[in-house]
Each structure stands twice: as structure tokens, then as C-alpha cells.
Amino acid sequence: MASKIKKTAKTPKLSGEARIVEQFKEPLDFVADARFDDHAPVILDVAGTRLNADDRRRLAHPLTGGAILFGRNWVNRQQVTELVAEMKAIRPDLLVCVDHEGGRVQRFRTDGFTHLPAMDAYGKRWMDDGTGAAGDGAMAATDAATAAGFVMAAELRSCGVDLSFAPVLDLHFGHSVVIGDRSFHRDARIVTLLAKSLMLGMRQAGMANCGKHFPGHGHVAADSHVDIPVDPRPLSEILLDDARPYEWLSTSLASVMPAHVVYPDVDDKPAGFSPRWLQDILRARLGFTGAIFSDDLSMAGARTLAGRTLGYAEAAALAMNAGCDLVLLCNQSVGKGKPLDDLLDGLVKARADGTWLPDAACERRRLDLVPQTEPLAWDDLMRDAAYLRALDRL
């Protein structure tokens, strides 16, 4: 007998414009034969603005627990809402994610989406404290950050998107091109308070959060997308500076994404592949209990270990054995998408030979990120008093 898709209490609801999901409510025929196991760790991307047969097949794979959207997946709100609805018809508890921080990292910018400031705008407003006419820069900055989190999350959720990978918790040392104005500030205390304010706004709109990039990407100049950054500072210095937001936000963070950066004083492996960083320091020492995402496994910082180039499945298994609950492989669906198939097939093999074993606790942490409240449809959101007030406070 073909087993059924396992539905959970975590299945998100859609309303208003997002009721477009109704046209996809009947699962595709091949999904009926899929058996969803107790751990679906893979977050993958899809090729375009509509699902193709390969996208559908991969989304129905029992190891696929999420999808990440990019600019190429966007035409307008109607289209992306339909795209997300079709994804969730295949797997109702799918976690649909996006990088939508504001500034230069914001995937949806047209058809009514608010252009959000880069995070350093809130840090600059904070530093105006005492110099402006009102002398309330710090307080205004925290309110603006909360407003930004609410606007970001409410607009995304109206289209069915569940999670934005925000906020950035890296410190602004001034020499990291890839981080730069994505950081709130150089001072870990200011970063923590502004991040907590932004996270509050996200929570008010029913969205979880993701702090990145643990323990800190801001001190290295190299970009881990194309290089393998090395931060030579001692552990004591990192814990007293870069990692402090993770300690101070340990009860507020829903998820964390580690950096593809090597900190040789701690481990010769990047943080996302290091049991010492993820289990001994992040969980045991700093007290974090939420989900841990790998950063994109296609980045250069994730592909080389001890001078050897890793396959995607091997990298994913190493990341999860180190302590990651979920693994991302991005921008690999275009064309035939062989890297995504290699990842999924490789993890099936890794499970069979015992080099990676699923973990039900990891799956629970994934499901905890799926929104539990019904989002406002876009037209209702445009008239919502809380949303309009948040826009005014940006």
C-alpha cells in the first residue's frame, strides 16, 4: 500500500490572495508513493517562475524539507504566490525561505514590496542619539528595526513565504566587502539590541528568524562565496566580541546559520563543519536550542576541506554530523540540476551505509520554523493599522 504524506500540526495556512493554493490542492500523482521520513534536511532551489517536472520530483523527495527562492523566481506577487502554493501542494509542511534582509540583499523589490534599508541604517540612526533635535536616536532606531522586521515578514508571508534568513549578526569591522552595510554596527551590544528589535517585528508578523553568520564573518576580508576565509584570532577574542550576540540572544533566536570561515585557533574546519563550534560552543556553552542551517554548500568556503574538494552529499553529511539540522544547496537547479540530484541520491546512500543518520530532533526544529498563524492577504495588509504604522516608522 502506498503510504501517504505525513501532515503535521505545523502545516501553515494561507488566506486571501494566497488561497491560490486551492488550484494546487490535489497532490501530484507521484507524491502518493513518497514516504516522508523523520528528517527532511535538504533546502533546495527551483529553476524558474513555474515548477518544472524536475522541480516537482525533487520537492517530493522524502529528504527535501524546504525551498529557497531567488530573484529569478520572481515576476510579481501573483506569480510567486502561485509558485509557493504549488510547492506546498507537493509537501504541505515545506519551509519556503528567502534572503530578504533589505539593502542589497532583497529578492523581491517590485509590485508593491517595500524597499527595506540595509541594516547599517539602523546602526547609524542609533548613533544619532543625543545629536538630533529629539535626542532619541537609539530609541527611534530600535522602533524602526522592529517596524522593518514586521513589514518584511508580513509582506513575505502574504505571498506564502515562511522564513527570511535575517538578521545579520556579524559585526561591522569595515573591511568585509560581503558583509559591509548588511551589519547593524561594530558594537556587539548595539547589534544585539537592534537585531532583537527586528526579530520582534518578524515574530509579530508570525515569522521565525535566523541569525547569521556564526560566530562572525565580519572580521575577514575574503568572501566565502568565492574563497576560504581564515580568521586567525583566538577563541577568547571571538567569544568576547563577535559571538556575544549569539549568547545574548540565545533565548530569542529561532535558527542560526554558521559561517563558511575557518578559525584555526578552534578548528581547522569551517564553523559549519565543526562539532566544536556547533555543539560544544553554540549549543553547550552559549545555550542555543533552535535549528542550525548550513550556509549554501555550493559556496567555495564549503567545498574544500583539508585541501580536498568535497562532493555535495559528502559536504552535507559532514555538516549534519557536525551539528547542522538543515543543509542548503542553492542555484543548482538551472539546467538539468544534477548537483541537486547528486545531493539527494548521495544522502540516501549515506543513510544506507551509516555515514549519516536522520535525527527526529532535527526535524522537530525544522517544523518549529513553519509559521503557525494565518497571514493577512496583501489587500488586507495594505489596510492593516499595524502595518501602516510600521511603514511610517521605517
Side-chain angles (χ1 to χ4, degrees):
M1 180 183 294
S3 58
K4 296 180 180 179
I5 296 176
K6 180 169 63 180
K7 293 186 179 181
T8 75
K10 303 292 184 180
T11 301
K13 298 177 180 178
L14 298 173
S15 66
E17 181 177 354
R19 288 191 185 280
I20 294 167
V21 71
E22 290 301 315
Q23 58 188 290
F24 304 110
K25 65 183 179 181
E26 293 300 325
L28 302 175
D29 291 342
F30 64 83
V31 179
D33 293 323
R35 187 173 72 84
F36 287 92
D37 295 311
D38 56 1
H39 187 186
V42 174
I43 312 291
L44 46 74
D45 64 307
V46 298
T49 58
R50 291 286 184 270
L51 297 184
N52 61 36
D54 287 330
D55 294 326
R56 295 186 186 96
R57 172 176 55 79
R58 295 182 191 115
L59 288 167
H61 195 286
L63 293 179
T64 299
I68 180 169
L69 300 177
F70 291 93
R72 70 171 183 277
N73 304 124
W74 167 266
V75 174
N76 54 43
R77 287 184 288 107
Q78 176 82 9
Q79 167 270 325
V80 86
T81 302
E82 292 178 354
L83 177 64
V84 172
E86 189 176 3
M87 290 177 178
K88 291 183 178 181
I90 296 172
R91 177 161 189 151
D93 66 5
L94 192 76
L95 182 70
V96 179
C97 311
V98 68
D99 282 310
H100 200 86
E101 306 163 9
R104 56 194 159 98
V105 182
Q106 180 174 334
R107 302 306 182 203
F108 310 150
R109 297 173 176 270
T110 57
D111 200 14
F113 264 86
T114 301
H115 289 201
L116 299 166
M119 292 187 188
D120 81 334
Y122 311 107
K124 289 175 179 175
R125 186 180 292 195
W126 179 292
M127 297 307 294
D128 285 340
D129 197 39
T131 62
D136 63 351
M139 295 302 98
T142 59
D143 195 37
T146 299
F150 183 85
V151 168
M152 171 183 69
E155 291 181 354
L156 289 171
R157 290 206 60 212
S158 77
C159 297
V161 178
D162 302 312
L163 179 68
S164 176
F165 289 119
V168 170
L169 298 180
D170 302 313
L171 306 188
H172 197 342
F173 288 91
H175 48 252
S176 173
V177 175
V178 70
I179 301 301
D181 64 2
R182 296 168 66 194
S183 169
F184 287 109
H185 202 272
R186 167 64 183 86
D187 190 320
R189 298 167 299 178
I190 297 174
V191 169
T192 299
L193 290 173
L194 290 174
K196 191 166 190 175
S197 298
L198 186 129
M199 288 156 50
L200 172 61
M202 295 173 71
R203 281 292 189 190
Q204 288 172 339
M207 181 178 283
N209 55 68
C210 181
K212 59 187 185 184
H213 307 82
F214 176 79
H217 199 309
H219 194 267
V220 292
D223 180 354
S224 56
H225 291 85
V226 296
D227 205 346
I228 306 170
V230 176
D231 188 334
R233 293 175 299 161
L235 173 61
S236 58
E237 183 177 337
I238 296 169
L239 290 177
L240 286 173
D241 203 4
D242 304 62
R244 292 311 291 273
Y246 296 91
E247 177 184 357
W248 291 328
L249 296 171
S250 63
T251 59
S252 304
L253 283 167
S255 64
V256 163
M257 180 180 289
H260 288 325
V261 176
V262 176
Y263 308 85
D265 187 59
V266 178
D267 201 328
D268 60 359
K269 296 182 286 295
F273 297 92
S274 168
R276 188 172 181 209
W277 273 119
L278 301 184
Q279 298 180 41
D280 298 345
I281 298 175
L282 180 59
R283 291 212 185 275
R285 183 164 181 169
L286 302 184
F288 176 67
T289 61
I292 301 176
F293 289 88
S294 80
D295 204 344
D296 177 12
L297 294 178
S298 71
M299 293 164 59
R303 296 300 312 282
T304 303
L305 203 61
R308 185 171 62 86
T309 300
L310 304 177
Y312 293 120
E314 182 183 10
L318 287 171
M320 288 189 288
N321 288 336
C324 289
D325 301 296
L326 300 154
V327 290
L328 283 95
L329 183 57
C330 304
N331 296 309
Q332 302 301 311
S333 61
V334 178
K336 296 186 185 242
K338 184 176 183 299
L340 291 173
D341 292 329
D342 288 347
L343 171 62
L344 293 168
D345 294 345
L347 285 179
V348 170
K349 182 178 183 301
R351 176 173 183 165
D353 63 25
T355 55
W356 166 72
L357 296 176
D359 187 335
C362 296
E363 181 67 1
R364 287 194 298 272
R365 288 191 281 265
R366 181 187 75 86
L367 292 171
D368 283 342
L369 299 174
V370 178
Q372 294 303 290
T373 58
E374 190 171 356
L376 286 176
W378 188 272
D379 288 345
D380 294 331
L381 183 63
M382 295 300 105
R383 296 186 294 268
D384 180 68
Y387 173 78
L388 294 173
R389 175 60 176 165
L391 283 178
D392 183 61
R393 298 299 289 171
L394 279 177

